[in-house]
Amino acid sequence: MKARVHVSLKNGVLDPQGKAINHALHGLGFADVADVRQGKLIELELTGALAAKPKAEIEAAVKDMAQKLLANTVIENFSVELVG
Amino acid sequence: MKARVHVSLKNGVLDPQGKAINHALHGLGFADVADVRQGKLIELELTGALAAKPKAEIEAAVKDMAQKLLANTVIENFSVELVG
Amino acid sequence: MGLSKAEYDLVLEIMGREPNQVELGIFSVMWSEHCSYKSSKKWLKTLPTKAPWVICGPGENAGVIDIGDGYAAIFKMESHNHPSFIEPYQGAATGVGGILRDVFTMGARPVANLNALRFGSPDHAKTRHLVSGVVHGIGGYGNSVGVPTVAGEVNFHPSYNGNILVNAMTVGLAKTDKIFYSAAAGLGNPVVYVGSKTGRDGIHGATMASAEFTEDSEEKRPTVQVGDPFTEKLLIEACLELMNTDTIVAIQDMGAAGLTSSSFEMASKGGMGIVIDLDKVPARETGMTPFEFMLSESQERMLIILKPGSEPQAEAIFKKWELDFAVIGHLTDTGRMVLRFNGEQVGDLPIDPLAAASPEYDRPWVKTPPQKPLGRVNHPLPFVEALGKLIGSPDLSSRRWIWEQYDHLIRGNTAQVPGGDAAVVRIEGNEKKALAMTTDCTPRYVFADPVEGGKQAVAETWRNLTAVGARPLAITDNMNFGNPERPEIMGQFVGAVEGIREACLALDYPVVSGNVSLYNETNGKGILPTPAIGGVGILDDVTKMATLAFKLPGEAILLVGK
Amino acid sequence: MKAAIVTFPGSNRERDMRMALTKVNNGKPPVDVWHGDSELPKDIDLIVLPGGFSYGDYLRCGAMAANSPIMQEVKKRAEAGTRVLAVCNGFQIACEAGLLPGALMTNASLQFICREVNLRVETTASQFTQKYRKGQTIRVPVAHHDGNYTLDADSVKRLEDADLVAFRYADSLGNVAASTNLNGSVSNIAGIYNAKKTVLGLMPHPENATDPVCGGTDGLGLFESIAESLS
Ligand SMILES: Nc1ncnc2c1ncn2[C@@H]1O[C@H](COP(=O)(O)OP(=O)(O)O)[C@@H](O)[C@H]1O
């Protein structure tokens, strides 16, 4: 069982990385890029008792991980997706 | 028009960040996490002439961006997805 | 909005009408404790600030001292306590960014960073996360901008569990004939905005820094500012390049309360008025309002008054460094701040009552009662065991794991790395000489006896500087205290200022800059009173520098002092 | 020797490098080249990519700088045999630009590390290191967050067989072990050459070890080697 956690900066929070990437893409001639935001995609491989649980419970556990560690909820949002 | 580029480390390349996250999750009591990989998700907002092109061409342009800048193909894979 | 009833009545009297929302927002940040020093001003005025080598004392962005041969050292310490508790990485990082701007805005090349950190008890649930975030943030910003972080101090105490202290200090070098000040001058001169674009970051940060913490402060989260050290590095280079041309009348960074405090302070110091067209302010987000433009605390921005006609030359420099540049207004002789947006006037305020003549309080205070003597202490442990325990304790253990995360060598002038009594940084361009610097304070002493504790903090910096062979010259301070509306806290503040004053007078060691952070409390419990002191001294011959390592077997060990 | 230092937005050790190069070049400073330039002066015989945080290390260290206009010219010159010294962020840029094989990932500790380390000089058959002794250890500082050199095992073997490993992280006696691996680099590698040994990339900062008062002088050998071979 795999889970993916997508962590992205909240709207309105400055994204220096995205800004710099945007700038560099323009320098490379990709003029039609209007905005860039960089986020993280964290892929978790789950096993054991947790992997055997119903989807809703797995999702809740992964959300808990995101809240506690994977995302900095002061400035970041996250979303969880279960795969396979 | 939005495009998402997912950049992840190639199989076999050690991921120090993923390893550290895995370790930290165990420390928090999430014992059933077997492996963690951390990748990037870069979201591009496209406009102008590019956004008006057929999907296949947009995709090709975004792949070009990934090849030239967004991913280091020595150690990373990438995939492109168009949204909306 | 953080104004008391009496203050609001004063607003009505000054305005002669009801203020609109933008105007009220401006009053509220300008009269916040953080910007106005309303509780502390009376006492800060008693500190000694003069000496023949002081070029500029408190009141400017940073203090300036003459270090001989045409060079000046420019330095200051500043707190970023509340933001660092809410988001330790970004809070500490933007703290470093802010103090760097205070120093390079005066024309100095920043050559060293220092810090003074206080955390809660090591076994408190939040401490580990906070320590790690703050250390990463200080390194993340300082390493990237290329300024070595050369010294600091770290203490742990339960009183900081809900209110950590992150004080950052920068030391810069300038030529004495190339120092820049912030007083606006020249009717009609252009007011120029440079650096990053303005977003909705940190709106009301300055008022937050002046409010007590409660459990629901975490709700204030979206106001967190994110630092961009890359842009700061470009801003340093661009500003220093501009300073080499003859185009600047006045310059100031946009710190707490952003565009508001920088424009009001510059106008007030120069006795000028300003008209600002807020539409011209570079915006990061769409639909921003005048209120948001005036109160945003977006980082990495500066305000400059240019000589007329020099705009193209200045703009070329900022374009080269890929930074925003915009003429957003001009100086007037009305003594008023006029704000325009979309062709309409959205604010019109007198300058002085908000800046130089802001309210000042003589808050009631009580003297801290003397502590009972500790009495005789029996040694509970054998000496060797006790020594081991002391050396291993959180307050005394090695800080190597912290300072190895800071680039303390960059610029190639660090003659004494962290781990000694004070850091020693050679003066570029005059390489026989070096600056020595240190930060010190022992909060539990100040708690037990504010006067003696204040003296001790100053004296400790003096000792650390002399221990490396330097002649101490001047200090900066960062007064971190609890809620000044409580007489016993105000008493700690008054006592500490008195102690600092006495020590500075006795040592001929003036205060040239500083910062006050009050309301460091959580749910009514104050921190240990913490007047952190940053000392700077000079070595005339860096090869004569002393280090603390024992050098050779057989050499005598002497103990001096009493 | 006619050296040029390239400054990228966010470079910050270019002046440390300038001090070191000036010292071994009879007081003659290197020329400064801007990232946006598309040409280098004609008679340059050493190009230096200095340390720093070009583009803030955003996205990947060195990735954006590797795409700047000047790098096209640097690649051309390097192909033609001009010497290139790429230090720290410069090493990252050189790898990203394909001047050197491999990639530099985040340190295994995930932390920035600033400290003096011992480097074993792996080969003196190079115009960057001929003034050292083979196997000599030198003390030079490091200051980086992403110095974890990564390369597949076959390519590492090829580097080793061709004598292209320049420096390894070692102890003070020159022993190379897991315990002396500073940042997780494959095979303790701290620096490498290109196939013709005209390009040297390394993470440590020899330029910060060229002064008896600040950092010692163990890095001087590298700059003296370069100056001697180019004079
Ligand atoms: N946060 C920090 N950042 C950088 N250096 C630090 C920090 N904390 C402590 N240090 C350094 O560690 C050494 C020991 O610190 P400290 O115990 O406070 O010194 P002392 O009490 O002798 O003044 C000093 O050289 C100091 O500069």
Side-chain angles (χ1 to χ4, degrees), chain C residues 115 117 149-154 395 399 402-403 406 417-421 438 440 460 464:
Chain C
N115 55 73
L117 311 177
T149 301
V150 296
E153 58 169 350
V154 189
D395 274 346
R399 278 25 178 157
I402 294 179
W403 51 259
Y406 303 151
V417 303
D421 288 308
T438 178
D440 295 287
E460 189 177 346
N464 278 327

Side-chain angles (χ1 to χ4, degrees), chain C residues 103-123:
Chain C
V103 167
F104 73 73
T105 192
M106 297 199 71
R109 158 77 63 183
V111 297
N113 280 334
L114 299 87
N115 55 73
L117 311 177
R118 322 283 159 183
F119 298 102
S121 161
D123 50 22

Side-chain angles (χ1 to χ4, degrees), chain C residues 34 77-97 99 114-119 130-139 153-155 160 163-169 406 478 480 515 517 520 527 530 532:
Chain C
H34 192 82
M77 181 155 37
E78 193 153 87
S79 67
H80 229 212
N81 303 337
H82 291 79
S84 301
F85 183 76
I86 293 176
E87 205 325 84
Y89 184 98
Q90 295 298 345
T94 52
V96 173
I99 192 62
L114 299 87
N115 55 73
L117 311 177
R118 322 283 159 183
F119 298 102
L130 291 168
V131 172
S132 146
V134 165
V135 170
H136 268 105
I138 291 174
E153 58 169 350
V154 189
N155 288 156
Y160 307 108
N163 194 128
I164 62 173
L165 302 184
V166 175
N167 299 168
M169 171 171 166
Y406 303 151
N478 202 143
N480 308 275
N515 178 243
S517 171
N520 289 289
I527 56 160
T530 312

Side-chain angles (χ1 to χ4, degrees), chain A residues 1 5-6 15 17 20-23 27-28 35 37 39-40 43 49 52-56 61-62 73 76 78 82:
Chain A
M1 166 64 75
V5 181
H6 175 202
D15 178 5
Q17 308 223 43
I21 296 171
N22 194 355
H23 188 83
L28 286 171
D35 192 32
R37 303 282 285 175
K40 288 179 211 155
E43 299 184 291
K53 286 197 176 156
K55 285 224 164 175
V62 176
T73 51
E76 293 171 332
F78 66 87
L82 298 187

